[in-house]
Amino acid sequence: MAPTTPTKKFSILRFSRRLALQVAPLLALGSLTDCKKEEAPTAAASAAASAPEAATAAAPGALTVGFIYVGPKDDYGYNQAHHEGAVAVAKLPGVKIREEEKVPETLDVQKTMESMINLDGAKLVFPTSFGYFDPHILKVAEKYPDVTFLHCGGLYQEGKHPKNAGSYFGYIDEAEYVAGIVAGGTTKTNKLGFIAAKPIPQVLRNINSYTLGARSVNPKVETTVIFTGDWAMPVKEAEAANSLIDQGVDVLTAHVDSPKVVIETAEKRGIFSTGYHASQANLAPKGYLTGAEWNWEKVYTAYIEKVKKGEKPEHLVRGGFSAGFVKLSPYGAAVADPIKAKADEAKAGLTAGTLIVYAGPMKDNTGKEIIAAGTKHAQTDITLESMNYLVEGVKGKLN
Amino acid sequence: MAPSTELAAADGSKGTLPPAGSAAAIDWTRVGPKLEAFGIPLIALVLSLLLFGAFVVVAGHNPFDVYAEMYRGAFGTWFSFQNTLQRASPLMLTALCTALPARCGLIVIGGEGAFVIGGLAAAATGVALIGAPPLVVLIGMFIAGAIFGGLWIGGAGLLRVQRGVNETISSLLLTYIGIALLNHFVEGPLRDPESLNKPSTRHIGEANMVGAIPGFDVHWGLIVGALACIAAFVLMKRTVFGFGAAIVGGNPRAARLSGVKVGRTVVITCALAGAAAGIAGTFEVAAVHGRANASLVAGYGYAGILVSFLARHDGLAIIPVSLFLGGIAASGGLLQRVFSLPDATVAVLQGILFVVLIASDTLYGRVRWSSFKGAS
């Protein structure tokens, strides 16, 4: 249609002035489309100009690494923790990173991975959201056997999943246990609040470890849990925070994609908080006690070193304090020295593997025995992966 | 169409075939509106791209570089083009969820809910039918997805007809109910006990999945979506039912007086609209995930609203508009990766497009084409 429009337009011009006046808008259109046509070669030229850039990216020795996030990379939470790892990777010599945020767990992420491989020349991809693995990474990994896919979540199964994929995860509940000690030692009302997304094993384990840590220093402590139902529900999270504070809770924490709203609400209401995923210390300079943080920098740089040496990364990597996968936010000003000492002691025990969090006898919050006396589940014990209870001292229900 | 043809016949009384190349023979009352239909969106498009270019300059980048990258990401390579096609396919179906009721004068924005419910129903049906031949499973899934999606928006239509409930509000609120139902079922009765940290239904089985179009890396949803758009165009522009729906949209009272069954027309149109979104949800389960879980809530239903409005609720126009927005989505990632622009950049472009195109609606009918005719 487009080419016919101008011919008609030019023939009209001969007719009358009035006609020409009425056609003025069309003329404007014509000149605009002309501009656009002129743009095309310029655009092509600039594409050509950017080509050498791409060539340098793919120069021998240079490695392009893609990072994919499900939310904003500055979310003070899950995605920021990964982004901080990516920033550390970008500082390594001979490595170039490409990041894409807010990619949903649909075909979109498959296309983003493929786009990074086809258009950016990525040889190593870190799709970081839990839901990216099945079916998305599995499908794309089969299609691109020369590219390595490393996923955060620990879902890799040897023999079942593609060889060029892998999975990593951290025992962050170790850090939650220590944060719980700090919270339990600091609370005045003996009431802690935990705002969580969904009652899934990963989340339950954090709630339980936090509570067990708190009760190890202060047996009177109770943790009240509110499940919001999804990973990013800022309005519900704020409502839950206010509701818990109204009930007398004086230390709040959260396991949602971004604890930002919860920490800010706690600070505004003048109570304490402990963080999760990344450091939220600068959101709550007064009340922030400490936090359970991922240390992906350590994991990612180790992976990259391996790939650069030409080695295949392990298929499944997991670790806690001892492997440096998780860390604590620096203690806030409100944490008393004796509490710091107790927390440091627990951290040393967890690092050495001498402190076992899930040791019997242990009851759930309905009084049922869940771990018999004498039974111990060490951190790597697979039974902890399907946790479906809240321990004694947690106020809340699973459904 | 009919009235303008008559006009043309009356006007071109001297001969049946106007001499080719003679501008004098152009019948402006016929050509004019067509020029508007193509020209006005084009002006709006170019204006939007200029505005977005200015935005990019403010963000500190060369707009020509940005557009070149966008072209590379959306259409520049075979991979990019397929990426665009793939992203366009759910939009075609979810756009119909807004476009069909719009013909009856209703603004339905609940495509997301019908999408999610359709996907959930399809997954439940697929799991229940495991063991049957793949074709039976798939047919069952698509029927279930279409019926439940249809009930969802059809319900909003019924509320409108029976109780006078505003369909915009009810369809939006039904979306929240749909998402809550999805979460309830995948975390409760339909949960696969093995889906520990990501509650999902059981998998429908690899054998029962919808594959890719031969020679493409795009699933069959694209073909079905395009066919559905064509069918919607035929239904709304070439049938008595569609004409009735248009009268309902123009003036329900006049429609009733002229014998159109207003209530029935509205409910059927809404149900068809919901069925389209339900089928989109079914494809998401049958071609992508193999199961229903929270990943179904990805905003395809909401994106469909934008597509429908940009296409001015025209079935045929939905196809190119979906491709266009699919292309923007496909290239959006490249903007982040190459220029480190935030994800919201694509939202800015979409927002500019939406506002400019809606505003350009006021340009229609400004030119008096009938006055062109006598000028020769």
Side-chain angles (χ1 to χ4, degrees):
Chain A
M1 284 314 277
T4 60
T5 317
T7 43
K8 276 172 193 163
K9 178 186 70 194
F10 293 133
S11 48
I12 309 159
L13 276 175
R14 286 186 233 122
F15 297 139
S16 73
R17 201 185 283 164
R18 190 171 161 215
L19 217 67
L21 276 176
Q22 293 207 335
V23 164
L26 276 177
L27 267 177
L29 158 69
S31 57
L32 280 173
T33 40
D34 286 346
C35 287
K36 229 187 136 219
K37 273 176 207 147
E38 277 164 31
E39 264 176 38
T42 338
S46 59
S50 67
E53 221 177 275
T56 42
L63 175 71
T64 305
V65 185
F67 289 88
I68 307 173
Y69 316 113
V70 73
K73 59 189 175 196
D74 52 356
D75 66 350
Y76 278 99
Y78 187 88
N79 299 295
Q80 182 169 328
H82 286 289
H83 170 65
E84 283 167 6
V87 169
V89 167
K91 286 182 190 143
L92 298 174
V95 178
K96 187 173 171 166
I97 67 160
R98 287 291 175 97
E99 297 178 282
E100 191 169 329
E101 62 178 358
K102 289 176 95 170
V103 180
E105 295 165 349
T106 61
L107 270 178
D108 286 14
V109 70
Q110 296 188 23
K111 292 299 169 192
T112 293
M113 285 185 253
E114 292 196 65
S115 185
M116 284 175 162
I117 296 163
N118 286 320
L119 302 180
D120 302 344
K123 283 282 169 224
L124 177 60
V125 183
F126 288 95
T128 58
S129 183
F130 191 85
Y132 287 160
F133 192 70
D134 185 9
H136 309 299
I137 291 178
L138 297 179
K139 236 177 219 166
V140 181
E142 259 169 33
K143 210 166 150 188
Y144 297 91
D146 299 340
V147 180
T148 306
F149 300 81
L150 295 167
H151 170 251
C152 179
L155 291 170
Y156 190 85
Q157 286 174 29
E158 206 67 56
K160 186 180 168 194
H161 293 147
K163 284 201 165 60
N164 53 327
S167 203
Y168 53 90
F169 209 56
Y171 299 117
I172 199 162
D173 69 307
E174 290 185 349
E176 286 282 11
Y177 184 85
V178 181
I181 291 176
V182 175
T186 311
T187 176
K188 305 274 191 306
T189 61
N190 295 331
K191 286 179 178 171
L192 312 182
F194 203 118
I195 295 163
K198 291 177 188 249
I200 56 171
Q202 237 278 288
V203 174
L204 298 181
R205 189 163 168 178
N206 278 338
I207 298 169
N208 289 338
S209 295
Y210 191 75
T211 308
L212 291 169
R215 284 167 72 94
S216 73
V217 294
N218 180 355
K220 281 181 279 179
V221 163
E222 274 193 328
T223 308
T224 307
V225 178
I226 292 182
F227 293 104
T228 58
D230 225 323
W231 294 104
M233 307 223 96
V235 176
K236 269 196 181 175
E237 289 155 18
E239 281 169 2
N242 279 313
S243 154
L244 286 170
I245 297 166
D246 292 342
Q247 292 169 44
V249 163
D250 70 346
V251 186
L252 262 183
T253 192
H255 183 166
V256 293
D257 268 0
S258 169
K260 182 169 184 275
V261 171
V262 172
I263 305 292
E264 281 176 339
T265 309
E267 182 78 354
K268 216 187 308 169
R269 298 280 306 263
I271 66 155
F272 300 115
S273 57
T274 69
Y276 189 59
H277 288 315
S279 174
Q280 291 95 32
N282 57 356
L283 294 176
K286 281 191 207 136
Y288 193 79
L289 300 175
T290 181
E293 286 183 48
W294 301 103
N295 189 20
W296 297 129
E297 171 177 350
K298 162 101 181 168
V299 183
Y300 290 167
T301 48
Y303 267 134
I304 305 284
E305 291 308 329
K306 266 216 150 97
V307 171
K308 276 171 80 180
K309 274 189 224 153
E311 292 171 31
K312 290 270 172 223
E314 294 102 333
H315 285 146
L316 197 55
V317 186
R318 301 197 69 146
F321 275 130
S322 61
F325 278 39
V326 300
K327 61 184 179 187
L328 280 179
S329 314
Y331 299 123
V335 185
D337 285 335
I339 303 295
K340 282 184 194 167
K342 278 183 187 166
D344 286 338
E345 190 192 334
K347 189 181 165 188
L350 289 164
T351 310
T354 51
L355 173 60
I356 309 277
V357 176
Y358 291 93
M362 192 180 280
K363 284 185 194 156
D364 74 3
N365 65 356
T366 62
K368 203 176 90 189
E369 188 178 73
I370 38 174
I371 301 175
T375 308
K376 283 185 176 183
H377 295 302
Q379 191 56 275
T380 52
D381 194 330
I382 198 87
T383 52
L384 295 178
E385 308 281 321
S386 48
M387 192 172 279
N388 59 356
Y389 50 81
L390 291 166
V391 296
E392 189 179 10
V394 181
K395 276 170 79 179
K397 277 207 279 189
L398 290 189
N399 38 40
Chain B
M1 288 309 285
S4 58
T5 327
E6 266 168 44
L7 264 179
D11 178 54
S13 47
K14 45 190 168 171
T16 44
L17 279 176
S22 159
I26 292 174
D27 176 7
W28 285 102
T29 51
R30 278 191 69 184
V31 177
K34 286 193 176 167
L35 276 183
E36 281 186 349
F38 279 93
I40 291 176
L42 204 62
I43 294 175
L45 182 63
V46 172
L47 187 66
S48 313
L49 292 182
L50 287 175
L51 281 174
F52 181 69
F55 169 81
V56 168
V57 170
V58 172
H61 295 280
N62 179 344
F64 296 112
D65 287 352
V66 169
Y67 282 130
E69 277 297 323
M70 288 191 77
Y71 179 78
R72 188 168 77 98
F75 304 102
T77 69
W78 179 229
F79 161 75
S80 303
F81 183 55
Q82 297 202 82
N83 187 355
T84 297
L85 289 179
Q86 184 61 79
R87 287 173 195 259
S89 76
L91 302 183
M92 292 181 188
L93 286 164
T94 54
L96 287 178
C97 193
T98 301
L100 290 174
R103 184 79 169 163
C104 295
L106 304 182
I107 298 175
V108 167
I109 57 172
E112 185 86 355
F115 181 94
V116 165
I117 283 293
L120 176 65
T125 311
V127 169
L129 290 177
I130 282 178
L135 194 65
V136 174
V137 177
L138 276 179
I139 290 174
M141 287 176 69
F142 277 98
I143 292 176
I147 287 180
F148 275 83
L151 285 176
W152 214 245
I153 303 299
L158 196 66
L159 279 173
R160 168 76 201 211
V161 172
Q162 295 286 328
R163 314 298 316 159
V165 178
N166 181 304
E167 76 287 348
T168 311
I169 304 295
S170 68
S171 65
L172 178 66
L173 295 182
L174 277 168
T175 298
Y176 298 122
I177 297 175
I179 294 170
L181 280 176
L182 171 80
N183 285 334
H184 172 73
F185 278 103
V186 301
E187 284 169 20
L190 292 176
R191 182 170 184 173
D192 176 358
E194 283 176 27
S195 62
L196 289 175
N197 280 318
K198 176 147 190 178
S200 309
T201 65
R202 285 174 200 274
H203 199 282
I204 59 167
E206 283 301 328
N208 298 327
M209 299 277 290
V210 171
I213 303 168
F216 283 81
D217 188 26
V218 182
H219 65 68
W220 284 97
L222 177 70
I223 305 281
V224 172
L227 289 178
C229 288
I230 294 169
F233 173 80
V234 171
L235 175 71
M236 284 306 171
K237 300 282 170 73
R238 295 283 185 277
T239 67
V240 176
F241 178 84
F243 190 61
I247 302 177
V248 172
N251 185 340
R253 203 177 217 184
R256 193 166 285 127
L257 286 175
S258 51
V260 177
K261 293 196 170 90
V262 174
R264 209 181 66 169
T265 306
V266 165
V267 173
I268 290 178
T269 308
C270 286
L272 287 175
I279 289 172
T282 306
F283 269 111
E284 197 64 12
V285 169
V288 182
H289 297 286
R291 46 177 106 225
N293 54 38
S295 296
L296 280 180
V297 189
Y300 289 126
Y302 293 123
I305 303 169
L306 179 63
V307 173
S308 181
F309 271 89
L310 293 186
R312 308 187 79 234
H313 312 305
D314 180 284
L316 284 187
I318 285 174
I319 300 175
V321 171
S322 297
L323 287 175
F324 182 64
L325 285 190
I328 291 180
S331 58
L334 214 53
L335 293 189
Q336 291 188 39
R337 272 140 45 203
V338 175
F339 301 102
S340 301
L341 285 163
D343 163 73
T345 315
V346 169
V348 169
L349 175 55
Q350 286 184 347
I352 291 175
L353 273 172
F354 191 74
V355 170
V356 172
L357 262 132
I358 298 288
S360 77
D361 261 11
T362 56
L363 294 177
Y364 287 91
R366 286 290 175 92
V367 182
R368 290 216 312 277
W369 298 104
S370 56
S371 62
F372 276 39
K373 161 177 65 158
S376 58

